[in-house]
Amino acid sequence: MSGGLTGWLRGRVGLIAAVLLLVVVAAMAVAPWIFTPLDPLATDTSQVLQPPAWGHPFGTDQTGRDVFTRVVYGASYSLGVGVGATAAALVVGIIVGTLAGLAPRVIDSVAMRGVEILLAFPEFLIALFAIAVLGPGPVNVATAVGVAAVPAYIRVARAETLVVRRSGYVEAARGLGVHPLRVAVAHIVPNTLRPLGVIATIGIGTTIVAAAGLSFLGLGPQDPTPEWGLLLSGGRNLLGQAWWVAFFPGVLITLTVVSATVVGRRLRRAGEGRA
Amino acid sequence: MIENREVVRISGLTVRFGQTVVVDSVSLSVAAGECLAIVGESGSGKTLTARALLGLLPDGASVAVDELVIDGVDARRYSQRDWRRIRGARVGLVSQDALVSLDPLRRVGAEVAEVIEIHGARGSGERMPRAGIVDTVTGMLARVAVPEPAERARQYPHELSGGLRQRALIASALAGEPGVLIADEPTTALDVTVQAQVLDLLAGLRRDGLGIVVISHDLAVVSGLADRVAVMKDGRIVEEGVTDEVLSRPQHPYTQMLLAAAPRLGDGPFADRVAARRRSPSIEITPGGLDTAAGGLLDQRESTPLLHATGLGRDFRRPDGSLRSAVDDVSLVVHAGASIGVVGESGSGKTTLARLLLAFDDPNRGSVSLDGVEWSGVPERRRRSRRGDIQLISQDPLGSFDPRYTVARIVAEGLRGDARRTSPGDRAARIRQLLDSVGLDASLEGRRPHELSGGQRQRVAIARALASEPRILVCDEPVSALDVSIQATIIDLLNALRRDLGVALVFVSHDLAVVAQLCDEVVVMKDGRVVESGATDRVFRHPEHPFTRALVAAVPRMP
């Protein structure tokens, strides 16, 4: 069966790499100390702007902090914001979308027109607007990014609800005299989750980029905090002399987002195959 | 003599998927002007055999064949490219669902013209001038008896009726002038009167010298068309011979079983069996059941019908804004323990009527009462507790199950009242008892719907309906998606439920034979109205309304 194994591996290399990378990033976020013994905030004026070397694989920045360590510790912020904001957007999206899908047509129409207005603006603009209202800060960045992501989830949740609502099993439950609330909780919501889970996986990547973007503009966590967007923006002015300060955080943002997208698309294809 | 020229000769055809043999050394031949029917149930390999004649086997199938001659050419070593050259030109395909097979964005004429453009006039490979193609297309549509062919050619598939679509599909299959036509369940999606016309058309083509291979699950459908029948089971041909011989003196037990299982109008083994069952005294009456022989109950039933629909009407808006009455002025009385068949062609309003009776939909006119109490037009919360009294058995049980649920959970959802609130142990016992009553093994409890066979799914659906101890089952084409042998067992089961539990049946079906076996009374619908009703025997033996007469006459009969 070794032929079968190589055959199975072929075409899945990208997926396996993506999953591995996400696992590593998740481990960095949860337990950064196993990757690096150094302190992300410790400055060392004797080691300013050192290029990548054995002791500092990603080099050091202008205050002599180890870039690798800062990137590792930054994972928790970026992933935290990405996962947290996506989860919050998902929950709100499911509740609002399901209610809209089940509501009388007038209410549904009003809600959907509102969602369409939100969708008409670029997500990032909405996030910026939310920050302008809430003020800068790490929690507000997560909130802003989540708010920006919600309309898309509402739409999908509503569309799935409309499909499931017309399904034979919802009619069957109704025919058995099951209470509508129970039908919604026991049949409708669980059966809309699969496609939502898939787009949420892809959404994590988008959210990380959006959060890093806000931080890059200085609207998120402030300087000593190691956050990928902030690291990128800090290294921006040094690109000519010390490319590594901005390069490695940038690479990690890119790889994480691409991996999340690869896994998400794979899940989607698997879901379509099943349907 | 051209009549004896063989147009298909295949021997030792074996198709495998991995280790599984799905077609096992099948050999058959068809002469010009001859029709061979391949009959079998789902999974018998009949469709794969037909596909092999077109080089259209799915990916992953490995094929071995000793001889494969199609319209004079040896196609054993054909590449996909070679197959494309002869498909349409030497062998044509007519599939089951014309609406799916025809490109919805292309006019019917273009569909037929494409074949001519690819293969040239009369399959010669020579290009044809534009005007010539139009004439040929019109001629082709006329040949398959499409009325006003020039106009029809400019229409889109959705503008044509099912029968016309099937004709257009046959026209496109014939446009390249093939010597052989493969028809895979060509009439299964059609109404019985339309089916009769399409079968006539195929018979005419056969007389003109075309070789036809028709694939069907229905022996009665092919009995009038086919010269010879090959019965397939588990990938093998178990019996082959002249149609009359096979049908009147089946040799193989499987053929005998198929014939016995097929419901038919008039007399036959199935009718005898059902009649015997009806005559047998009801000895297994369980609490809540009704003894149909008890005079006192009869009187009571006369006074308050279980389900009473009066003057029902339901309108739907057409895309252009005008109203169409799907159901118009329909009245129906269902007494406890009765069995009423509702027959009609597609679009006659049968399903809309069923939905109105179930109060899944409210009528625009008229009303329904259940057990003497208002049932239609009342708020859902007042209906909810009574819904268990009237249950639906649908054509598509799989669609009626939450895909995440196990069999046990599906059935449990039907429990109501005390049965729902009881201890988990008692509930599990009740579920096992329900599964047992529909002939399902308790070991299936943990399965999910997609892991069950079609017959098992329908049994689970019935078990769930029974869980709420209904007094009426509304069955909407409950057996039309099932193989005949499975059909017979489900019909037996419904009959037994009616006899033993006194459950009334409203049985909606396009299949007159099934209704004849199961129902005491029948209602014939056409265009939303009831055109005839009465005792089943009387209506089917001596139909009064011309439409009923046409319907009864169109039912395919075995010789």
Side-chain angles (χ1 to χ4, degrees):
Chain A
M1 289 309 283
S2 65
L5 186 64
T6 36
W8 184 84
L9 273 175
R10 196 173 303 135
R12 283 182 172 81
V13 175
L15 179 71
I16 291 163
V19 169
L20 279 181
L21 189 102
L22 289 182
V23 168
V24 170
V25 171
M28 284 179 183
V30 176
W33 54 86
I34 59 172
F35 290 89
T36 170
L38 302 173
D39 180 345
L41 302 181
T43 56
D44 183 349
T45 42
S46 67
Q47 297 279 328
V48 172
L49 294 178
Q50 293 296 305
W54 185 245
H56 299 292
F58 288 3
T60 60
D61 68 5
Q62 66 274 33
T63 54
R65 293 175 296 205
D66 182 46
V67 174
F68 177 71
T69 305
R70 289 177 64 74
V71 166
V72 166
Y73 277 85
S76 70
Y77 283 91
S78 289
L79 215 61
V81 169
V83 173
T86 306
L90 190 60
V91 170
V92 174
I94 288 172
I95 294 171
V96 177
T98 309
L99 287 178
L102 296 175
R105 201 185 289 172
V106 186
I107 297 176
D108 177 39
S109 295
V110 171
M112 281 306 111
R113 292 306 85 76
V115 166
E116 275 154 22
I117 289 170
L118 289 177
L119 279 172
F121 293 98
E123 277 188 27
F124 198 73
L125 197 63
I126 294 181
L128 273 179
F129 181 73
I131 283 284
V133 172
L134 299 167
V139 176
N140 289 354
V141 164
T143 315
V145 169
V147 166
V150 157
Y153 293 109
I154 294 181
R155 267 195 89 90
V156 176
R158 171 181 170 272
E160 289 296 322
T161 302
L162 290 181
V163 171
V164 176
R165 181 187 174 181
R166 292 197 194 101
S167 71
Y169 51 90
V170 167
E171 180 153 276
R174 188 177 161 217
L176 290 164
V178 180
H179 194 278
L181 205 63
R182 207 188 129 70
V183 174
V185 174
H187 294 296
I188 295 178
V189 171
N191 280 295
T192 61
L193 286 185
R194 193 197 300 265
L196 281 166
V198 172
I199 65 158
T201 315
I202 299 177
I204 288 176
T206 324
T207 318
I208 289 175
V209 172
L214 290 175
S215 304
F216 184 88
L217 296 176
L219 302 169
Q222 297 304 314
D223 182 41
T225 316
E227 200 277 344
W228 289 351
L230 200 59
L231 293 181
L232 196 62
S233 115
R236 176 185 51 166
N237 296 328
L238 302 167
L239 271 178
Q241 352 157 332
W243 54 270
W244 54 88
V245 179
F247 177 76
F248 289 106
V251 165
L252 224 68
I253 293 175
T254 310
L255 285 181
T256 308
V257 171
V258 168
S259 299
T261 310
V262 165
V263 173
R265 285 192 195 283
R266 190 73 189 197
L267 288 175
R268 176 156 68 190
R269 243 179 298 156
E272 279 163 0
R274 211 184 319 256
Chain B
M1 278 247 315
I2 193 159
E3 293 301 310
N4 293 329
R5 188 173 66 95
E6 269 186 354
V7 288
V8 172
R9 177 166 195 82
I10 188 166
S11 68
L13 173 73
T14 301
V15 180
R16 285 193 185 83
F17 286 107
Q19 302 296 311
T20 324
V21 178
V22 285
V23 176
D24 192 0
S25 36
V26 162
S27 301
L28 44 90
S29 71
V30 182
E34 185 189 38
C35 176
L36 169 74
I38 305 178
V39 175
E41 299 192 301
S42 47
S44 63
K46 59 185 194 299
T47 295
L48 285 170
T49 303
R51 300 260 142 180
L53 296 174
L54 291 148
L56 283 176
L57 287 170
D59 292 343
S62 62
V63 189
V65 65
D66 297 333
E67 240 184 317
L68 178 55
V69 181
I70 289 161
D71 203 13
V73 298
D74 181 354
R76 265 178 304 177
R77 303 199 170 279
Y78 263 23
S79 64
Q80 273 310 309
R81 196 191 162 93
D82 297 326
W83 276 113
R84 274 202 296 277
R85 218 178 51 239
I86 70 159
R87 253 183 247 141
R90 291 183 183 274
V91 53
L93 170 70
V94 177
S95 54
Q96 177 180 140
D97 195 341
L99 192 55
V100 178
S101 304
L102 295 171
D103 185 339
L105 297 179
R106 216 146 49 137
R107 291 171 205 274
V108 171
E111 195 81 36
V112 182
E114 184 183 53
V115 183
I116 302 170
E117 280 158 12
I118 293 169
H119 296 294
R122 315 242 165 260
S124 64
E126 279 168 39
R127 285 210 158 273
M128 217 182 185
R130 190 73 230 163
I133 290 182
V134 173
D135 284 348
T136 317
V137 167
T138 314
M140 272 299 157
L141 290 173
R143 184 171 162 201
V144 295
V146 170
E148 298 164 342
E151 271 170 48
R152 297 297 185 185
R154 286 193 293 274
Q155 287 183 313
Y156 288 96
H158 72 267
E159 297 176 282
L160 302 185
S161 67
L164 281 181
R165 275 200 296 265
Q166 198 67 23
R167 282 163 199 274
L169 196 64
I170 294 174
S172 73
L174 292 176
E177 301 277 339
V180 198
L181 194 67
I182 314 286
D184 189 359
E185 303 271 4
T187 63
T188 304
L190 302 176
D191 283 328
V192 50
T193 53
V194 183
Q195 164 173 286
Q197 295 163 10
V198 171
L199 290 175
D200 274 353
L201 170 65
L202 290 174
L205 295 171
R206 185 198 55 175
R207 275 194 300 277
D208 295 345
L210 194 68
I212 298 179
V213 179
V214 57
I215 314 295
S216 182
H217 67 281
D218 192 335
L219 273 168
V221 163
V222 299
S223 62
L225 177 67
D227 301 294
R228 284 184 299 125
V229 175
V231 180
M232 280 189 81
K233 180 181 195 297
D234 301 334
R236 288 166 182 275
I237 293 182
V238 295
E239 180 160 4
E240 190 192 347
V242 175
T243 306
D244 290 354
E245 291 278 322
V246 173
L247 295 186
S248 54
R249 283 182 293 282
Q251 301 299 310
H252 195 276
Y254 179 70
T255 317
Q256 293 164 357
M257 188 279 292
L258 269 187
L259 281 165
R264 54 179 95 179
L265 276 183
D267 301 320
F270 183 85
D272 294 346
R273 203 173 67 225
V274 174
R277 165 156 285 150
R278 286 211 190 141
R279 277 192 303 272
S280 70
S282 315
I283 40 169
E284 299 174 51
I285 293 172
T286 55
L290 286 158
D291 189 346
T292 44
L297 273 170
L298 261 173
D299 293 342
Q300 193 189 329
R301 275 190 273 139
E302 294 298 326
S303 55
T304 41
L306 196 47
L307 189 71
H308 194 172
T310 34
L312 281 186
R314 178 74 174 96
D315 303 329
F316 291 105
R317 207 165 277 283
R318 288 200 191 91
D320 65 8
S322 61
L323 286 179
R324 182 181 68 90
S325 285
V327 166
D328 194 17
D329 195 22
V330 172
S331 298
L332 198 67
V333 177
V334 185
H335 290 289
S339 64
I340 296 182
V342 179
V343 299
E345 306 205 308
S346 50
S348 61
K350 312 187 292 285
T351 294
T352 307
L353 175 63
R355 293 178 57 82
L356 291 173
L357 296 180
L358 286 156
F360 281 164
D361 194 6
D362 279 320
N364 298 101
R365 295 175 298 281
S367 64
V368 184
S369 65
L370 180 65
D371 224 358
V373 183
E374 230 178 331
W375 178 239
S376 63
V378 299
E380 184 59 30
R381 79 194 129 72
R382 277 174 52 201
R383 283 199 281 244
R384 209 166 290 138
S385 61
R386 301 166 67 204
R387 282 216 172 262
D389 287 340
I390 179 164
Q391 284 294 306
L392 168 71
I393 308 292
S394 72
Q395 178 178 4
D396 174 25
L398 185 59
S400 77
F401 301 146
D402 191 323
R404 301 170 306 116
Y405 274 33
T406 60
V407 166
R409 254 181 107 182
I410 288 167
V411 175
E413 198 170 41
L415 297 173
R416 59 172 178 169
D418 295 340
R420 165 154 228 114
R421 286 185 287 273
T422 182
S423 73
D426 287 353
R427 203 156 54 213
R430 174 76 182 132
I431 289 166
R432 224 162 288 139
Q433 183 197 345
L434 283 162
L435 289 176
D436 185 58
S437 70
V438 297
L440 283 178
D441 196 83
S443 65
L444 295 176
E445 270 184 351
R447 298 264 188 99
R448 275 169 223 285
H450 66 266
E451 299 168 322
L452 302 173
S453 71
Q456 287 171 336
R457 286 172 192 158
Q458 200 54 288
R459 284 170 194 270
V460 172
I462 295 173
R464 172 175 64 182
L466 293 181
S468 63
E469 294 173 15
R471 302 170 65 193
I472 305 182
L473 287 179
V474 177
C475 310
D476 189 2
E477 303 275 10
V479 297
S480 52
L482 301 174
D483 280 329
V484 273
S485 57
I486 311 294
Q487 259 187 30
T489 60
I490 297 291
I491 290 170
D492 280 349
L493 173 62
L494 290 172
N495 242 327
L497 294 176
R498 180 175 161 233
R499 183 195 62 198
D500 298 338
L501 303 176
V503 178
L505 295 178
V506 175
F507 194 93
V508 174
S509 180
H510 70 283
D511 191 335
L512 271 57
V514 170
V515 169
Q517 311 309 341
L518 197 55
C519 302
D520 296 334
E521 290 167 75
V522 66
V523 170
V524 183
M525 286 187 75
K526 179 175 169 42
D527 301 332
R529 292 178 155 272
V530 174
V531 295
E532 187 163 358
S533 63
T536 311
D537 276 357
R538 203 277 300 154
V539 172
F540 287 168
R541 276 181 211 281
H542 310 288
E544 279 165 11
H545 193 277
F547 175 72
T548 316
R549 250 178 265 149
L551 209 57
V552 172
V555 173
R557 272 161 232 267
M558 307 216 205

